[in-house]
Amino acid sequence: EMPPVPVTDLFRLIDFSLVHWRLVSKCVATWVGMVFVVSFASCLDVAAISMDMGEALDTNKELATVGVCNFMSGCTIGFTGSYIFSQTIFTYRTGCRSKWVGIFIMIMFVSVVVSKVNFLSVLPLFFLGATLIFIGYDLLYEWLWEVREKLLLTEYLVLVATFVAIHIIGIDAGILFGVVIAVIDYVFTTAQVTTVTRVVKRSRAVWKPEDWKLLQDNAYGHVAKIVTFEIKGSVFFGSSIQLLQNISSDIGIDATNEETQELNLASPAPRGQSVRLAKTDRGMSFTSKAQPQIKRRPDYVVLDLSYLSNLDASAARGCFLQLTKMCAKRGIVVCASAANPRVEWMMRSHDVAYSIEEEEEVKKSLLDAESEVEETEKVLLFLTVYEGLEFCENLMIQKLSNKSATRSPSFVRLDELIGPGAEGVVPKETLSHIFAHVLGLTGSEISKLSCLDDRAFHDEVTYNEGKAVFRRDTNADAFFVVLKGAVALVRED
């Protein structure tokens, strides 16, 4: 039996003269690895304890507590570590909620260190062993068996694979193996949840009646010439080809043999594999079961990217760039809207979209009736989907009506109708004048509305910046026409 060692002997172990300082550089990698392992283990402990408690824990605060304790332990010649997980769960399940539990444990540990009595020689070890075995089996049953009903099949397989790998190749390599498997599972899962949906949307522009009828009969009729797609999720190399197939099949465009070869070069398919194409009477077309192929192609395609969270380089070139090239050869203008800064940068940097300066010039050229530019080789970006739809509607009206460039525009801000007046003064307008513009009325029709010009029917009011015009869920006693300035819709929740 070993004699008891006084606590002062611990400090005699510190002898810096015995340290081989030249070996410190070789230990850096081990230290970094230990920091990663302890941090990762602490995060898992916090998540497990939070799950067992059914309450959210402040992870940053818990990790800071572990860091401070490890620093104090190192200064007092102790060992680094994380939570005593089994003790934490055991204490919580017994119903103890007092901080005195931790204080009592601290006092007991200090007593064991200071005391000269070997407690392991007098305590019943079978009790300690039985308690640890009980907690271990309870956790295994809960995390490997009961949890199967709370996870997806792929997630459960990742859990089991990580558990088995830890016992075969060790904890460090097992955790790394589990991380790799989880990443692979995430990639395949994300590739499947990327969705593209064809939706019916129109711009918020107010057009003249004859222009509105043109749009109704041609742009949004039975065979739509302006189509809108909502793209949701993340688009990367695993989902870009399927996304391209769905869109191209929906709008009825065919891929030539040359385009098929370009797509195979741009796609991330493994060597020796290519994109499958179906033979049709008109050539080669992408196969897709998601959308039926239509016979007549649209003239304008608007992509709503407001729900697109991420886009990588391979998807930008393999999907959007190829889609734009295929559409450009067939005279289809492709517009994209509401892209977040990352997606917009990715599209501009990979030549999917024009630079900001070039884009403005192309938009002006397309809107100019005398310009010979009728198609684009890249995507046109817009801030909102309604702005993109308004641009396409403007081009559609221009194409169908064959109006010259000097024609008065169909959509004009109402403040442009206001005549010259003193600075800061808005001239009075009549309701017949305003409605004549909004509704596109003729002279005889305007005369029928002249009775509304009486001040008993309307009034002009001025609101200062920040003043509320109306509030939600209040009774409506009037409707407003904005003559000058702008109104913002603000949610107070």
Side-chain angles (χ1 to χ4, degrees):
E1 182 179 354
M2 296 294 296
V5 179
V7 67
T8 54
D9 283 3
L10 293 175
F11 296 95
R12 297 177 182 176
L13 298 176
I14 301 177
D15 188 354
F16 291 103
S17 62
L18 300 178
V19 178
H20 296 273
W21 297 102
R22 66 179 182 276
L23 300 178
V24 171
S25 59
K26 297 182 179 180
C27 299
V28 172
T30 303
W31 292 342
V32 173
M34 287 302 301
V35 170
F36 171 78
V37 171
V38 173
S39 300
F40 191 74
S42 298
C43 291
L44 293 178
D45 288 341
V46 173
I49 294 174
S50 177
M51 182 177 64
D52 195 270
M53 293 174 58
E55 300 177 5
L57 296 177
D58 188 345
T59 305
N60 290 331
K61 184 177 180 180
E62 300 297 330
L63 292 179
T65 302
V66 174
V68 171
C69 293
N70 279 331
F71 178 79
M72 295 176 60
S73 177
C75 292
T76 54
I77 321 173
F79 295 97
T80 59
S82 183
Y83 288 94
I84 306 179
F85 176 71
S86 57
Q87 181 177 321
T88 304
I89 295 296
F90 183 79
T91 303
Y92 179 80
R93 292 183 177 181
T94 56
C96 297
R97 301 293 188 272
S98 176
K99 294 183 179 180
W100 281 102
V101 175
I103 297 175
F104 177 77
I105 293 175
M106 181 182 64
I107 293 174
M108 291 298 299
F109 283 175
V110 173
S111 301
V112 170
V113 173
V114 174
S115 176
K116 296 183 178 181
V117 178
N118 189 351
F119 287 92
L120 293 179
S121 62
V122 296
L123 291 178
L125 298 182
F126 69 89
F127 174 77
L128 298 177
T131 303
L132 292 177
I133 292 175
F134 165 75
I135 295 176
Y137 277 110
D138 181 68
L139 293 177
L140 282 176
Y141 178 78
E142 181 177 354
W143 288 6
L144 293 179
W145 182 251
E146 288 186 345
V147 78
R148 74 188 189 283
E149 299 178 355
K150 302 179 181 180
L151 298 177
L152 299 175
L153 177 60
T154 55
E155 294 176 336
Y156 184 71
L157 293 178
V158 171
L159 173 65
V160 174
T162 305
F163 176 77
V164 174
I166 289 176
H167 287 78
I168 295 177
I169 59 179
I171 183 171
D172 295 345
I175 292 176
L176 182 60
F177 176 80
V179 170
V180 173
I181 296 298
V183 170
I184 296 175
D185 173 65
Y186 173 79
V187 170
F188 280 97
T189 302
T190 307
Q192 295 175 358
V193 300
T194 302
T195 59
V196 55
T197 306
R198 182 169 175 172
V199 296
V200 179
K201 287 186 177 181
R202 299 186 63 161
S203 75
R204 295 177 177 177
V206 180
W207 304 103
K208 289 181 179 179
E210 60 270 20
D211 293 339
W212 185 88
K213 190 174 187 307
L214 282 176
L215 294 174
Q216 184 67 19
D217 295 339
N218 297 276
Y220 302 106
H222 178 66
V223 180
K225 287 295 185 180
I226 301 177
V227 298
T228 305
F229 294 95
E230 280 186 356
I231 302 177
K232 300 180 181 180
S234 298
V235 181
F236 58 105
F237 67 90
S239 59
S240 59
I241 300 301
Q242 183 63 42
L243 179 63
L244 178 60
Q245 291 176 1
N246 292 339
I247 297 178
S248 61
S249 174
D250 196 308
I251 62 179
I253 61 176
D254 304 327
T256 63
N257 293 330
E258 180 183 354
E259 290 170 342
T260 304
Q261 294 175 1
E262 292 181 2
L263 182 59
N264 287 330
L265 293 176
S267 68
R271 185 180 300 273
Q273 297 183 12
S274 60
V275 179
R276 293 189 304 110
L277 300 175
K279 187 73 175 179
T280 65
D281 295 337
R282 295 176 295 175
M284 305 296 290
S285 65
F286 291 101
T287 59
S288 174
K289 298 180 181 179
Q291 299 286 351
Q293 184 161 335
I294 61 178
K295 295 182 179 180
R296 297 186 60 183
R297 302 166 182 162
D299 292 338
Y300 306 95
V301 174
V302 180
L303 305 177
D304 185 359
L305 307 182
S306 56
Y307 300 101
L308 179 62
S309 57
N310 191 25
L311 174 69
D312 67 2
S314 60
R317 301 188 65 86
C319 177
F320 293 100
L321 181 59
Q322 296 301 321
L323 175 65
T324 307
K325 287 182 177 181
M326 294 167 62
C327 289
K329 292 181 180 180
R330 295 156 180 83
I332 302 175
V333 177
V334 180
C335 303
S337 61
N340 61 48
R342 174 185 172 85
V343 173
E344 180 180 349
W345 177 86
M346 189 67 68
M347 297 182 75
R348 294 191 191 277
S349 61
H350 287 273
D351 293 329
V352 179
Y354 295 98
S355 65
I356 297 178
E357 295 77 11
E358 292 177 336
E359 188 174 73
E360 293 299 325
E361 293 297 328
V362 172
K363 290 179 181 178
K364 291 180 181 179
S365 299
L366 289 173
L367 293 175
D368 186 358
E370 295 182 352
S371 175
E372 297 181 355
V373 178
E374 296 182 355
E375 60 184 31
T376 62
E377 298 179 352
K378 299 181 181 180
V379 174
L380 298 178
L381 297 181
F382 295 89
L383 292 178
T384 66
V385 65
Y386 300 106
E387 183 182 355
L389 287 170
E390 181 182 335
F391 180 83
C392 296
E393 290 173 359
N394 204 338
L395 294 179
M396 177 64 69
I397 294 173
Q398 180 175 293
K399 177 188 296 186
L400 296 176
S401 60
N402 295 320
K403 295 180 180 178
S404 62
T406 58
R407 69 178 178 87
S408 59
S410 297
F411 178 63
V412 184
R413 288 179 55 86
L414 290 178
D415 54 5
E416 297 179 12
L417 296 177
I418 300 174
E423 184 177 357
V425 177
V426 180
K428 299 296 182 180
E429 292 294 326
T430 61
L431 283 183
S432 60
H433 184 201
I434 295 172
F435 288 157
H437 165 70
V438 175
L439 302 177
L441 304 180
T442 61
S444 59
E445 294 170 328
I446 296 175
S447 61
K448 297 179 181 179
L449 294 178
S450 59
C451 61
L452 298 177
D453 293 341
D454 191 343
R455 289 293 174 180
F457 295 100
H458 76 283
D459 191 16
E460 290 190 18
V461 293
T462 302
Y463 290 90
N464 297 325
E465 183 179 355
K467 183 70 174 179
V469 179
F470 62 88
R471 297 188 182 278
R472 186 179 181 182
D473 298 330
T474 57
N475 294 328
D477 57 359
F479 72 89
F480 296 86
V481 177
V482 181
L483 297 177
K484 188 176 181 62
V487 177
L489 187 62
V490 180
R491 297 182 60 177
E492 298 180 350
D493 55 354

